[in-house]
Amino acid sequence: MAEYLEEVERFDLVDRLIRREQIVRDRLNPMTYYNDADFIDRFRLSKEAVLSILDDVNVDLEGGILHTSSISPLNQLLITLRYYATGNMLSVSGDLFGVHKCTVSRIIKKVSCAIASLYNTHIKFPSGNRILDVQRAFMQQSNIPGIVGLIDCTHIPIISPGGDNAELFRNRKGYFSINVQAICDHELKLTNVVVRWPGSTHDSRIFDNSNICAKFERGEINGILLGDNGYPLRHYLITPVLTPNSREERRFNFAVCNARVKIENVFGIMKRRFPCLRQQLRLKLQSNLTVITACCVLYNIARELSIPLPHEDELQEDDQVPVPVLQNRHQGGRALRSLLIRNFR
């Protein structure tokens, strides 16, 4: 009987050790250790989205972009997402998998480049019938015809890049930053992003030197953008009336501001999903630019997959309405704005 009890205790001990070892192994695999809600909270994307991104950036594991390290491609992606989700020191992200901070730095640079390479896949300016859909939606929401996007800039804090040109990155608020220009549609999706200008650069200069501005100038895009008074008034870029003198002008300004709040929402949601963008990025300058671009791509992926964010407002589908034809090809911005004010209801 004593031998039987001793055998039972021995098997019980072995069973406890096996279960403890299994728990330790599970903790090293976030895909199985965390439930869906906790996983999104820690990595800002769903498990399905992570696996889809992994397929996109690492189709062939033998020769893929990420298969260059003893750390698995999945863990490299999760380390990078954890950095985006916290903005902490590199050592904090490395502690998740027991990786040195130097290795974390190389992983973040490599994975960010891989994600940023998906820009043309997930960030597209509307064209063809899609432009008409965007114009109809904005017409339904703001009663202003012809809108194809909302434009604005936001500052992403960085450490001083050093060198002779470091002060170019100090913005008007006194800290170093990258001034990022973005255009969004009615669904709060990014349709164009410019990530390369130092914080001291004015919004209008960024736009004047952008690809999207050249396309509007050449008449390749039929529609108008809404911007704030930091931008010049043109036949394809409408801004609020600086000193409204009539009831119509005040109503028009209200409609413009009411529509433009969406681009502000985009910046707020993106920085909430990826807090590294509202904290100080501490990587090298080129790596910072790549991280910002990668976060923009991931933001659109999250919108496409409807990955939840706390207190995010739900968007309702808009009924389609006809888009008035604007005679703005050879009109100046002031003439077009006056026409919109007169016809605004």
Side-chain angles (χ1 to χ4, degrees):
M1 186 64 179
E3 294 179 356
Y4 173 76
L5 292 176
E6 183 179 348
E7 189 74 13
V8 170
E9 290 178 358
R10 186 159 59 87
F11 277 112
D12 184 59
L13 177 60
V14 171
D15 183 63
R16 288 201 304 270
L17 290 175
I18 292 175
R19 281 184 294 173
R20 182 187 304 174
E21 184 180 356
Q22 182 65 41
I23 291 175
V24 172
R25 281 200 294 265
D26 285 345
R27 285 180 63 87
L28 295 178
N29 184 2
M31 299 291 287
T32 59
Y33 182 74
Y34 297 115
N35 60 36
D36 293 341
D38 289 341
F39 188 89
I40 293 175
D41 184 55
R42 285 166 173 78
F43 299 100
R44 292 304 196 261
L45 295 175
S46 65
K47 296 177 182 179
E48 294 77 10
V50 169
L51 294 177
S52 175
I53 293 169
L54 188 63
D55 289 338
D56 290 338
V57 300
N58 194 48
V59 176
D60 183 4
L61 292 180
E62 294 301 323
I65 298 172
L66 303 181
H67 196 70
T68 58
S69 172
S70 59
I71 304 171
S72 70
L74 175 60
N75 286 351
Q76 292 184 53
L77 180 56
L78 293 177
I79 288 173
T80 304
L81 291 178
R82 186 59 178 165
Y83 172 75
Y84 295 168
T86 61
N88 289 331
M89 296 292 185
L90 298 180
S91 57
V92 177
S93 298
D95 289 343
L96 181 64
F97 293 101
V99 180
H100 193 271
K101 64 180 181 180
C102 294
T103 304
V104 172
S105 177
R106 291 193 294 270
I107 288 174
I108 291 175
K109 178 181 179 180
K110 180 170 55 178
V111 176
S112 296
C113 286
I115 297 174
S117 68
L118 303 177
Y119 178 97
N120 292 328
T121 303
H122 296 283
I123 300 180
K124 300 178 181 178
F125 199 83
S127 59
N129 291 333
R130 176 60 180 168
I131 279 192
L132 297 179
D133 293 338
V134 173
Q135 289 176 331
R136 291 187 184 100
F138 275 123
M139 179 65 181
Q140 176 75 9
Q141 296 170 4
S142 65
N143 210 23
I144 299 177
I147 302 174
V148 294
L150 311 171
I151 185 171
D152 204 357
C153 289
T154 186
H155 288 273
I156 307 298
I158 62 171
I159 60 172
S160 171
D164 297 335
N165 297 323
E167 285 301 313
L168 292 177
F169 291 84
R170 191 185 298 276
N171 60 31
R172 58 186 175 83
K173 296 183 179 179
Y175 62 87
F176 295 99
S177 69
I178 301 295
N179 197 4
V180 178
Q181 175 183 283
I183 300 176
C184 77
D185 62 13
H186 62 289
E187 295 177 333
L188 302 184
K189 291 181 181 178
L190 294 170
T191 57
N192 184 267
V193 180
V194 178
V195 185
R196 65 188 181 94
W197 291 90
S200 64
T201 310
H202 195 273
D203 295 0
S204 61
R205 183 184 177 191
I206 297 176
F207 178 71
D208 287 339
N209 289 274
S210 66
N211 235 356
I212 199 71
C213 177
K215 290 182 178 181
F216 274 104
E217 288 286 350
R218 294 193 297 264
E220 296 178 11
I221 301 175
N222 183 26
I224 60 175
L225 295 173
L226 288 188
D228 58 21
N229 286 312
Y231 291 96
L233 179 62
R234 295 175 181 169
H235 69 272
Y236 53 81
L237 178 55
I238 299 301
T239 61
V241 181
L242 193 58
T243 54
N245 296 317
S246 66
R247 179 171 175 268
E248 290 77 13
E249 290 179 342
R250 287 191 291 270
R251 290 180 60 201
F252 177 76
N253 275 5
F254 179 80
V256 170
C257 295
N258 192 46
R260 283 196 64 261
V261 75
K262 289 184 180 297
I263 186 64
E264 302 292 346
N265 291 342
V266 167
F267 293 145
I269 293 172
M270 185 164 62
K271 290 180 180 181
R272 283 183 56 202
R273 187 175 292 278
F274 303 111
C276 68
L277 298 180
R278 66 170 182 258
Q279 301 180 24
Q280 192 180 56
L281 292 175
R282 301 180 181 88
L283 305 175
K284 293 182 179 180
L285 178 59
Q286 187 57 48
S287 296
N288 286 335
L289 300 180
T290 306
V291 166
I292 296 170
T293 304
C295 287
C296 292
V297 171
L298 294 177
Y299 166 83
N300 264 16
I301 292 176
R303 297 297 303 181
E304 292 166 6
L305 300 178
S306 301
I307 300 175
L309 188 70
H311 309 299
E312 184 178 2
D313 294 332
E314 295 293 334
L315 294 177
Q316 297 180 351
E317 295 185 358
D318 299 309
D319 295 330
Q320 295 193 355
V321 296
V323 177
V325 177
L326 296 176
Q327 304 297 326
N328 65 351
R329 176 50 65 92
H330 301 295
Q331 290 178 318
R334 193 175 299 276
L336 175 59
R337 188 172 65 183
S338 298
L339 175 64
L340 291 173
I341 292 173
R342 287 197 303 270
N343 295 334
F344 184 75
R345 297 187 298 274

